[in-house]
Amino acid sequence: MLSSILHAKTADSRNLPYACCYYANLSKNSILHFIIFEKGTISFCFSISGMIHFKYTIKEKGVRTNGMLLKIKMWIARMCQYILYFAVPLKKNRIMLYAHHRSGYVCNPGALLQYLEAKHPGQWDLVWVTEYPESLPHLPGVRICGRRSFQYFRTFIRTKVFITNDMVDENLIKKTGQLFISTWHGGGAYKKVGISTCAESKEMARHFRKWYGRLDYFVSSCRKCTTNYTEAFHLPASCFLEIGSPRNDIFWQDPDMALQQVYEFYHLDPDTQILLYAPSFAANLPDRDNLVSLTANTTAWKQVLSDLANTTGKRWVLMYRTHHFTPASCDTTNELFIDGNRYDDIQPLLLAAAMLVTDYSSCMWDFALTDRPIFVLQDIIKAYEQSDRGFFVSPQSWPYTKIRSLQEIPAKYAVWDDKDNYHKHFEQMGSFETGHACERLTDVILTHTMTPRKNSGGKHHDKK
């Protein structure tokens, strides 16, 4: 009886990207069936000894219903994890990695993923989680998993280590023995984050404690990061791995391959110089987009590129790379402008660029490791400091060249010589960047996966 009712759904659900199906053997004669669809229809049934005790179906009725369907889906996913909590053992070599709302194998989790497969081939069961599974190329030894899909939850319940560059999905129920690691997604700890950004909202503060309170480790890029984020996320100092950012290991490696890939991808002549323009995002600056967008400043940028060409005797192009929260394309019909958003990973772009222009993006911390010029937009920084999150580290202490207008760039580039100031800044910030972050993080993972240990099931561990 039950199988006939469920047959039509189960026949299709495994092939749908947003289907979530659970089959949990509770006893010899009992089966718990859940069939959940994010779009369309949700049906779930509970049976004991072949008798249907509960069956409920909801049909899609507009946007409001879709939100309700997703909530129900996540509630059922959490309930199933609780049911299987003790029944399903962990797979000690399974690691799931997720870069928050990014396409490609990118950011710190992506760098670690590629390191693990290159240095320890076949040793790990590696699973890359993404919202864009159809766009990813296949990597040997790596499985791709759609976020919040059936495969996602089924894979997680046996996962030993879950690594993300932000917070861990609150719909994942942490089991005893599992390890949660956040690599974070910005170096230098310049902008305020966490509880420090919601001092007037006790509810948001509680959310941050819930989201980050399950972490075992938090990767720190510098001493300032450890100090500021301890308070921002209410984490103990013992939670922080002071090893630098895994994505920045690339700056200590042979750059030729990365440079060649970028130049070939954009069909650039080897002598062409790249000006990387990479503004960040803001939540409370309504006029900011007009000030930083490429479209609103096309004429000014063309003049900058022309002046740079006259000053250096080389051809310059502008590569426009936006924050992934505010994606924007550029006019690629103009040969002077290149769409940096077409390239998934920004780190090779940083390696290829001759200079960086930004507002307050944390990529300036990464790019400073190249000892190349960085120009920051002073007026945008001031507005962000007054009207948005603000900064942990005062912009007055930054070693990056501040400009009020784009026209200042060519002249200041010609006389730029701030390498020593960069080095002093890294010393003052207590930088942990050494080019060995992936190696050191792997050592920590090995410590917890290759030797038995006790786990409280959700709280922090002392650093090894």
Side-chain angles (χ1 to χ4, degrees):
M1 180 178 178
L2 179 66
S3 60
S4 62
I5 293 176
L6 296 180
H7 178 74
K9 295 292 185 184
T10 58
D12 297 330
S13 61
R14 293 179 183 272
N15 297 319
L16 291 175
Y18 297 106
C20 181
C21 312
Y22 280 88
Y23 300 89
N25 289 318
L26 303 180
S27 66
K28 185 175 182 180
N29 296 316
S30 301
I31 299 179
L32 179 66
H33 289 266
F34 287 114
I35 304 173
I36 309 107
F37 296 92
E38 187 173 277
K39 296 181 179 180
T41 301
I42 288 186
S43 298
F44 47 96
C45 305
F46 178 62
S47 79
I48 298 179
S49 301
M51 298 294 292
I52 299 179
H53 281 232
F54 184 64
K55 180 178 182 293
Y56 190 47
T57 300
I58 303 175
K59 293 186 177 180
E60 184 177 26
K61 291 183 180 179
V63 176
R64 182 177 297 180
T65 304
N66 286 341
M68 182 176 67
L69 297 183
L70 182 58
K71 287 182 179 179
I72 293 175
K73 171 185 175 181
M74 293 302 101
W75 177 82
I76 295 174
R78 289 193 295 270
M79 185 169 67
C80 289
Q81 291 175 77
Y82 281 121
I83 292 172
L84 301 175
Y85 192 96
F86 297 105
V88 180
L90 298 177
K91 191 174 181 181
K92 288 188 176 181
N93 71 332
R94 177 174 292 173
I95 303 176
M96 293 181 74
L97 305 100
Y98 171 61
H100 186 66
H101 290 298
R102 312 287 180 90
S103 60
Y105 303 101
V106 299
C107 201
N108 292 311
L112 179 64
L113 173 81
Q114 294 175 66
Y115 176 88
L116 290 173
E117 183 52 35
K119 300 297 183 180
H120 303 269
Q123 181 172 342
W124 308 98
D125 178 11
L126 299 172
V127 182
W128 182 258
V129 178
T130 177
E131 281 92 352
Y132 313 96
E134 68 285 346
S135 66
L136 284 178
H138 174 71
L139 287 183
V142 178
R143 290 189 288 143
I144 299 172
C145 178
R147 184 171 181 261
R148 292 186 174 178
S149 64
F150 163 60
Q151 182 188 8
Y152 171 74
F153 291 107
R154 183 180 65 178
T155 302
F156 171 76
I157 60 175
R158 296 205 62 194
T159 292
K160 177 67 176 179
V161 184
F162 191 95
I163 299 172
T164 179
N165 64 344
D166 204 316
M167 61 184 180
V168 179
D169 187 349
E170 61 184 329
N171 294 294
L172 298 178
I173 306 303
K174 189 175 186 182
K175 297 173 61 175
T176 299
Q178 285 182 321
L179 198 68
F180 283 1
I181 300 174
S182 176
T183 63
W184 200 234
H185 51 268
Y190 293 115
K191 292 176 286 189
K192 287 185 177 181
V193 294
I195 297 173
S196 62
T197 66
C198 56
E200 298 179 0
S201 173
K202 294 182 179 180
E203 182 180 358
M204 282 302 297
R206 286 195 298 270
H207 280 310
F208 273 111
R209 294 187 183 96
K210 176 179 67 175
W211 291 334
Y212 292 93
R214 300 185 297 166
L215 291 176
D216 295 284
Y217 292 115
F218 192 110
V219 173
S220 173
S221 62
C222 62
R223 193 175 302 111
K224 280 282 188 181
C225 175
T226 302
T227 302
N228 293 332
Y229 289 4
T230 295
E231 181 178 351
F233 297 117
H234 279 211
L235 295 172
S238 61
C239 178
F240 287 85
L241 292 175
E242 298 178 330
I243 60 176
S245 302
R247 70 186 187 191
N248 286 339
D249 288 357
I250 190 174
F251 297 116
W252 278 265
Q253 298 166 1
D254 185 357
D256 290 343
M257 181 177 295
L259 287 172
Q260 182 179 353
Q261 290 175 346
V262 171
Y263 272 73
E264 287 182 353
F265 183 85
Y266 287 104
H267 307 290
L268 296 176
D269 184 273
D271 293 330
T272 299
Q273 301 294 295
I274 298 174
L275 186 161
L276 178 60
Y277 179 39
S280 186
F281 83 101
N284 300 311
L285 297 179
D287 296 329
R288 177 186 174 280
D289 289 343
N290 292 330
L291 295 174
V292 303
S293 72
L294 181 61
T295 304
N297 298 279
T298 299
T299 302
W301 277 117
K302 287 180 179 179
Q303 188 61 51
V304 168
L305 297 175
S306 176
D307 292 346
L308 285 170
N310 293 333
T311 302
T312 64
K314 296 183 178 181
R315 179 177 182 264
W316 283 79
V317 295
L318 183 145
M319 180 178 288
Y320 185 43
R321 173 80 177 206
T322 63
H323 192 279
H324 70 281
F325 280 177
T326 56
S329 59
C330 67
D331 181 13
T332 54
T333 60
N334 190 316
E335 63 178 8
L336 295 177
F337 298 147
I338 298 175
D339 187 359
N341 292 324
R342 290 176 52 212
Y343 208 91
D344 287 332
D345 191 0
I346 192 176
Q347 300 309 105
L349 303 183
L350 296 173
L351 197 61
M355 79 166 82
L356 171 68
V357 179
T358 185
D359 40 21
Y360 40 79
S361 170
S362 63
C363 68
M364 58 190 173
W365 170 270
D366 301 7
F367 192 76
L369 296 169
T370 69
D371 285 340
R372 297 173 194 158
I374 300 173
F375 299 96
V376 293
L377 305 172
Q378 185 173 351
D379 291 343
I380 303 298
I381 293 172
K382 185 177 180 180
Y384 186 84
E385 190 171 24
Q386 294 175 345
S387 304
D388 209 283
R389 294 184 185 180
F391 301 99
F392 283 131
V393 180
S394 171
Q396 281 68 41
S397 68
W398 301 356
Y400 317 121
T401 304
K402 298 176 180 64
I403 57 174
R404 299 291 298 272
S405 69
L406 301 178
Q407 287 76 11
E408 299 176 46
I409 294 175
K412 291 191 174 184
Y413 177 78
V415 297
W416 182 88
D417 186 19
D418 284 338
K419 291 181 182 179
D420 290 342
N421 291 333
Y422 285 5
H423 301 163
K424 292 177 183 177
H425 180 65
F426 279 121
E427 290 179 5
Q428 293 168 355
M429 296 283 283
S431 173
F432 301 129
E433 308 287 3
T434 63
H436 297 286
C438 286
E439 177 185 355
R440 296 182 64 186
L441 183 52
T442 300
D443 289 342
V444 172
I445 294 171
L446 283 168
T447 300
H448 290 292
T449 57
M450 306 313 264
T451 57
R453 69 186 180 92
K454 293 183 179 180
N455 185 345
S456 61
K459 298 302 177 184
H460 316 288
H461 302 286
D462 293 334
K463 288 187 288 187
K464 300 295 181 182

